[in-house]
Amino acid sequence: MTAREFLEFAGVEVSERNLYLLGQYVGKGDFYASFPDASVKSEDGEFLEELADEPANFQAFLEDHS
């Protein structure tokens, strides 16, 4: 799943800011703001959409950073 698709999956607006925050969330800085069609993986290399606690943890992260 791409970063853009993950944001849609999480039910949040696909914007440069949210792509940036997704990069911050997984420890990749502003990578997804520059490359929104890159696959989203956790720091452990797992696809984010396959983790049981996603997208809930990312949604909570967004709430903390708004």
Side-chain angles (χ1 to χ4, degrees), residues 4-61:
R4 186 185 322 262
E5 292 169 335
F6 182 80
L7 291 180
E8 291 171 353
F9 173 66
V12 299
E13 177 186 4
V14 178
S15 67
E16 189 171 334
R17 179 179 187 279
N18 287 340
L19 287 164
Y20 171 79
L21 289 172
L22 178 58
Q24 295 297 307
Y25 177 67
V26 296
K28 291 200 173 200
D30 64 353
F31 180 78
Y32 295 119
S34 299
F35 302 100
D37 294 320
S39 294
V40 182
K41 295 183 180 180
S42 70
E43 290 181 337
D44 297 330
E46 298 175 89
F47 288 103
L48 210 57
E49 73 272 9
E50 295 177 357
L51 300 176
D53 51 355
E54 296 300 343
N57 285 347
F58 177 65
Q59 292 164 337
F61 178 84

